[in-house]
Amino acid sequence: MDWLAALGRGGLAVSARLGRANLLMLAMLGGLAELVRRPRLLLEQLMSVGVLTVLIIAVSGVFVGMVLGLQGYYILSRFGAEATLGVMVAASLVRELGPVVTALLFAGRAGSALAAEIGLMKATEQLSGLEMMAVNPQHRVLTPRLVAGILSMPLLAALFSMLGVYGGWFVGVGLLGVDDGTYWAQMQSQIDWYEDVGNGVIKSVVFGVVCTWIAIFQGYDCVPTSEGVSRATTRTVVHSSLAVLGLDFVLTALMFN
Amino acid sequence: MSKTRQIEIWVGAFIAAGFLALFFLAMQVSNLGTVNSGDSYTVLARFDNIGGLKVKSPVTLAGVEVGRVLDIYYDAEDFRAVAVLGIYSQYDTIPDDTFAKILTAGLLGEQYVGLDPGGSEQVLKEGSEIAVTQSALVLEEVIGQFIYGKAQEGAN
């Protein structure tokens, strides 16, 4: 009987959390009108969520591209198909690795920071302080962060893919001697703007919504103690990563079948 | 320089870089840059077998891309496949007795339509139909014919 009760308690807690997350999303969307009147708030968040994440995205993009170049060359040269190296690098980056790796890095770099910041605001009662001054903390504090995350993710993913393509180009053309013209021409003839690039962008927008939403919710919903904040940070990274990987499968199955 | 201004500059640079990367993906990586946005006229070609020809496969003349396959459908009346070829408008002097065949780029490459110009004075126009075509080479049939020929030789 005890385990049945534990299962029920767990299930109820999960449903309650999901419900709170949805209510929080609605509340944040309600703050969009206020955000239009105060674009400065968004600017500051774009700085901390977007700009400060660029470096890790750029470095990872270049290295992932270079590894793809090496591995792709190794496999393709067995079949005498080095000419399609550009297609392989670009397709893997634009369709999969760009959106997914960017989202995972984003969850680790920006998501954890968001959760910790909001969690600490809650623990030190800054959010209650805003409320005391008749400022809606959800509109003022959370909405700009959500919008900044959603706007940043596709831009970061595009940067990642672009630098990855150049990384693959550096290894393939520069070091391993694949023909420069072939690398780009094969890529251009095989990669479709809408099918490949467009769907990659859609993926990264979805990941942007999910990762930022999870981070903000975990921060806002945390137990306001140091332990609670640390748990919220951990949960943000774990839940975001799982959600990204799971959603990626669903989106890929929907888009490329 | 004030702190806000610094933030503004950084965010501006970030957004510009992001959109630049998207633009790069569109023009340099994908086919958006190479798609001929100019007008084209459509020409029909009937094939017994189109093999692996796909929509958007290139149409070439003397190795130069002069168009793309716009549509492929099956004609139930004469049991043949119809490929709708979109030829770019600047190539408006292709004779109407041109020969269309489905070729393969490399041994395992993708298939495309190759045009061999004829000698007619009339040119292909919107809606005209290419009369002489050659189907795609199906590897199994070629191998089958080869084996059949060998077997005949053995019997003689």
Side-chain angles (χ1 to χ4, degrees), chain A residues 17 111-112 114-124 214-237 239:
Chain A
R17 247 204 318 273
S112 57
L114 278 178
E117 189 186 12
I118 297 168
L120 268 174
M121 279 185 181
K122 187 181 180 186
T124 52
I214 290 177
I216 292 174
F217 174 70
Q218 290 295 353
Y220 191 74
D221 200 52
C222 75
V223 183
T225 57
S226 13
E227 196 196 354
V229 173
S230 94
R231 276 219 191 130
T233 319
T234 314
R235 269 207 213 123
T236 300
V237 178
H239 289 190

Side-chain angles (χ1 to χ4, degrees), chain A residues 37-117:
Chain A
R37 270 182 278 129
R38 294 177 202 274
R40 177 121 304 170
L41 291 172
L42 178 63
L43 193 79
E44 278 163 19
Q45 291 313 314
L46 273 175
M47 180 76 191
S48 69
V49 170
V51 177
L52 296 178
T53 317
V54 166
L55 188 66
I56 186 171
I57 295 288
V59 174
S60 327
V62 170
F63 277 94
V64 167
M66 293 203 302
V67 170
L68 276 176
L70 277 175
Q71 294 279 22
Y73 183 84
Y74 173 67
I75 293 168
L76 291 173
S77 63
R78 283 197 198 173
F79 306 106
E82 300 97 299
T84 55
L85 182 69
V87 185
M88 200 214 94
V89 170
S92 0
L93 279 168
V94 167
R95 287 164 72 142
E96 277 305 319
L97 293 175
V100 172
V101 178
T102 304
L104 294 178
L105 291 170
F106 183 90
R109 161 63 189 76
S112 57
L114 278 178
E117 189 186 12

Side-chain angles (χ1 to χ4, degrees), chain A residues 103-104 107 210-212 214-215 235-245:
Chain A
L104 294 178
V210 171
C211 284
T212 328
I214 290 177
R235 269 207 213 123
T236 300
V237 178
V238 174
H239 289 190
S240 302
S241 309
L242 291 178
V244 164
L245 295 171

Side-chain angles (χ1 to χ4, degrees), chain B:
Chain B
M1 212 184 320
S2 74
K3 188 148 182 292
T4 349
R5 182 146 176 78
Q6 232 169 355
I7 291 179
E8 277 171 355
I9 291 171
W10 275 111
V11 171
F14 167 61
I15 293 175
F19 276 102
L20 210 71
L22 267 181
F23 181 74
F24 166 84
L25 290 179
M27 303 313 285
Q28 187 76 14
V29 173
S30 79
N31 55 3
L32 196 66
T34 53
V35 166
N36 196 308
S37 52
D39 295 334
S40 62
Y41 60 96
T42 56
V43 172
L44 299 182
R46 288 167 194 276
F47 295 98
D48 291 332
N49 188 340
I50 54 153
L53 195 72
K54 290 187 201 70
V55 171
K56 283 199 219 161
S57 294
V59 177
T60 65
L61 202 164
V64 178
E65 185 185 315
V66 295
R68 292 258 168 190
V69 176
L70 297 181
D71 191 19
I72 293 171
Y73 59 91
Y74 169 67
D75 185 348
E77 276 178 25
D78 63 353
F79 308 112
R80 299 174 88 189
V82 182
V84 181
L85 315 178
I87 312 282
Y88 306 142
S89 308
Q90 70 258 39
Y91 305 108
D92 54 358
T93 56
I94 304 174
D96 71 345
D97 58 346
T98 290
F99 181 51
K101 50 191 172 183
I102 296 177
L103 302 168
T104 310
L107 191 58
L108 300 169
E110 63 170 334
Q111 298 197 295
Y112 63 97
V113 178
L115 299 179
D116 267 345
S120 169
E121 298 283 315
Q122 306 290 319
V123 295
L124 285 176
K125 285 190 289 287
E126 169 74 33
S128 25
E129 193 171 322
I130 293 179
V132 207
T133 61
Q134 179 191 312
S135 293
L137 200 70
V138 178
L139 213 54
E140 289 89 335
E141 281 178 11
V142 178
I143 295 171
Q145 275 172 7
F146 177 75
I147 293 172
Y148 183 71
K150 280 284 174 197
Q152 289 269 325
E153 262 175 47
N156 288 336

